[in-house]
Amino acid sequence: MKLAEHPTVKRIRQRETTVAKGDDQPLDADWLRQLVLDAGAEDVGFVQIERSELDDQRDDILQALPRTKTLISIIVRMNREPLRTPARSVANLEFHHAGDEVNEIGRKLVRALEDRGVR
């Protein structure tokens, strides 16, 4: 059997073709918003990479992810009382838990987009 005939190779090449065809098509903002909310976010916002407010960050973003067109801001709710306590360790723990939650939402989002052929 030739490598090009292997089922896995065929599936990957088919996926690459599908992704290449869909690269220029914008995602529906309402669909994407709901996807992020369903992944566990409290709220979500979108920012185009061309916005002037990102001038000082754009190069770093594009170096890591050169095909970036839009950034997604994921919002989660933090518990108030741990942030109000004078014990910094308690507040820090709350910040870390919120960060972990954002990371998990991001992972779910990336998986859902990859499953649809979005890079």
Side-chain angles (χ1 to χ4, degrees), residues 72-87:
I72 301 174
S73 178
I74 299 170
I75 293 91
V76 297
R77 189 173 304 198
M78 294 173 53
N79 296 316
R80 292 180 188 158
E81 287 307 312
L83 299 178
R84 293 178 178 159
T85 184

Side-chain angles (χ1 to χ4, degrees), residues 50-64:
E50 294 87 16
R51 282 192 64 155
S52 61
E53 291 87 347
L54 294 174
D55 286 348
D56 61 337
Q57 301 169 56
R58 188 176 302 106
D59 289 341
D60 293 332
I61 294 167
L62 292 174
Q63 184 176 0

Side-chain angles (χ1 to χ4, degrees), residues 2-103:
K2 293 183 180 181
L3 182 62
E5 296 173 1
H6 191 278
T8 303
V9 173
K10 287 181 177 181
R11 189 170 50 250
I12 289 171
R13 287 189 176 156
Q14 177 62 36
R15 187 180 311 151
E16 288 173 353
T17 303
T18 304
V19 170
K21 289 179 182 176
D23 279 349
D24 294 335
Q25 298 175 4
L27 296 174
D28 178 68
D30 292 332
W31 173 83
L32 187 56
R33 176 179 169 72
Q34 191 59 52
L35 183 68
V36 178
L37 294 174
D38 290 345
E42 296 285 335
D43 200 3
V44 59
F46 304 109
V47 179
Q48 291 183 345
I49 191 73
E50 294 87 16
R51 282 192 64 155
S52 61
E53 291 87 347
L54 294 174
D55 286 348
D56 61 337
Q57 301 169 56
R58 188 176 302 106
D59 289 341
D60 293 332
I61 294 167
L62 292 174
Q63 184 176 0
L65 299 164
R67 302 171 66 91
T68 301
K69 296 179 183 176
T70 302
L71 302 175
I72 301 174
S73 178
I74 299 170
I75 293 91
V76 297
R77 189 173 304 198
M78 294 173 53
N79 296 316
R80 292 180 188 158
E81 287 307 312
L83 299 178
R84 293 178 178 159
T85 184
R88 296 311 330 146
S89 61
V90 176
N92 285 343
L93 186 60
E94 183 63 21
F95 276 106
H96 285 287
H97 281 299
D100 292 342
E101 187 176 352
V102 169
N103 288 338

